[in-house]
Amino acid sequence: MFPIVAKEQLSAEVYSMWIHAPLIAEERKAGQFIILQIDEQFGERIPLTIADADPAKGDVRIIFQAVGYSTKRLAQMGVGEALPVFLGPLGRPTHIEKRGTVVCVGGGIGVAPMHPIAQAMKAAGNKVIVIMGARNKDLLIMEEDMRKIADELIVCTDDGSYGRKALVTEPLKEVCAREKVDECVTIGPPIMMKFCAEATRPFGVPTIASLNSIMIDGTGMCGGCRVLVGGKIKFVCVDGPEFDAHQVDFDNLMKRNRTFVPREREENCNLLKLADQARR
């Protein structure tokens, strides 16, 4: 069992938890993820990127949005309760080296998996510029965490309620125009990553996109995370989750993401019925 040792609500539907998992805390690298299960009877296995880790304490930090059955149930759990399944680290870690100037662009919940990457890039000796965005101020997360890492932090909101009123692509283009950027890493909604890739393409900036949002079982067995990269089929959970953003077929990825929405709603209703029956 893997006990929850700390919990914090970051925004209306976003939660942070520290889970005691010493082996994962010791072995994890930036960009990797875990699979957890909230209970062995009704809970599905869900992949979540590792947002941070404390090897000295043996704790791993996950940040998630409560949108489906399992994540809503997870959000209801508290300190002292434990998870029966917490498997990892999984996926290929981010390639970290001293490149020069690295721009990290995180959108919404994507700021969480960006955090360890920005940390590692800074530790490797890079100048790290972080651009983070959300629809409004209430949905921004981890600003202070990023501020501790970044040489420059640019905060954007769609509605202008905090920071700069702009999409993240606007300051990204400005940074690329004003100085030499050696690499860009982007994590967030697929549509955001698509336009980040288009923003850096004219400048010839190598750009990496983390496609963790399309993962389902996280082990390569289901095939649900198939994506086209450079015209070839890749599986996000075992070949990624990071790929050359200029080679990713984002239109195909977004279409595949929408394919699962009706089934997700159906399963959410079924699981709620089962859980309700179990309580009676």
Side-chain angles (χ1 to χ4, degrees):
M1 300 294 280
F2 301 89
I4 300 168
V5 296
K7 176 184 176 182
E8 180 184 3
Q9 186 167 354
L10 302 181
S11 68
E13 296 180 339
V14 178
Y15 296 81
S16 166
M17 284 184 175
W18 285 89
I19 312 297
H20 189 63
L23 295 179
I24 298 176
E26 184 178 351
E27 295 295 329
R28 70 96 198 193
K29 293 181 175 62
Q32 292 185 296
F33 63 94
I34 56 89
I35 287 177
L36 64 79
Q37 192 170 346
I38 57 172
D39 63 60
E40 295 177 308
Q41 186 175 8
F42 300 124
E44 61 191 316
R45 291 159 61 90
I46 55 175
L48 292 171
T49 307
I50 299 169
D52 204 349
D54 187 336
K57 293 182 179 179
D59 299 337
V60 172
R61 189 185 189 189
I62 57 171
I63 294 177
F64 61 95
Q65 188 172 8
V67 292
Y69 171 80
S70 291
T71 48
K72 287 179 179 178
R73 282 282 307 277
L74 180 60
Q76 293 170 356
M77 298 179 72
V79 174
E81 295 185 84
L83 300 169
V85 176
F86 198 80
L87 174 67
L90 300 169
R92 296 177 181 270
T94 305
H95 179 71
I96 303 293
E97 64 176 346
K98 186 174 181 179
R99 301 291 302 273
T101 297
V102 178
V103 179
C104 298
V105 186
I109 195 71
V111 173
M114 183 63 76
H115 179 252
I117 295 172
Q119 267 184 329
M121 288 293 188
K122 182 64 178 176
N126 293 289
K127 175 184 177 181
V128 175
I129 300 172
V130 174
I131 303 172
M132 52 185 289
R135 293 195 305 274
N136 57 60
K137 179 181 179 180
D138 293 338
L139 298 177
L140 284 168
I141 62 171
M142 302 188 75
E143 179 184 354
E144 291 308 312
D145 297 89
M146 286 300 199
R147 199 173 294 280
K148 293 174 184 177
I149 300 167
D151 293 281
E152 180 182 356
L153 177 67
I154 303 170
V155 180
C156 302
T157 52
D158 294 356
D159 65 357
S161 56
Y162 186 73
R164 178 174 172 178
K165 183 178 181 180
L167 301 178
V168 293
T169 49
E170 188 175 317
L172 175 58
K173 292 176 184 177
E174 294 170 357
V175 171
C176 290
R178 82 182 188 207
E179 62 184 281
K180 182 179 183 295
V181 175
D182 298 283
E183 186 172 59
C184 174
V185 184
T186 177
I187 309 178
I191 190 67
M192 184 208 84
M193 293 188 287
K194 173 184 177 178
F195 284 104
C196 282
E198 293 309 311
T200 60
R201 194 189 300 274
F203 298 96
V205 176
T207 303
I208 301 298
S210 181
L211 308 183
N212 50 61
S213 62
I214 198 175
M215 288 193 297
I216 300 175
D217 83 335
T219 63
M221 296 172 62
C222 73
C225 66
R226 291 194 308 277
V227 292
L228 288 173
V229 182
K232 297 180 180 179
I233 294 175
K234 299 289 183 180
F235 295 89
V236 172
C237 60
V238 292
D239 296 322
E242 297 177 357
F243 299 93
D244 181 346
H246 294 149
Q247 296 294 315
V248 174
D249 186 337
F250 283 104
D251 292 334
N252 177 267
L253 184 153
M254 289 185 283
K255 183 178 180 180
R256 288 186 56 77
N257 265 348
R258 291 192 295 270
T259 300
F260 300 111
V261 170
R263 182 61 183 270
E264 288 170 352
R265 289 172 180 165
E266 180 183 345
E267 284 302 306
N268 192 33
C269 291
N270 291 339
L271 288 169
L272 286 172
K273 290 176 183 177
L274 288 171
D276 184 58
Q277 291 172 4
R279 286 194 296 267
R280 293 178 180 176

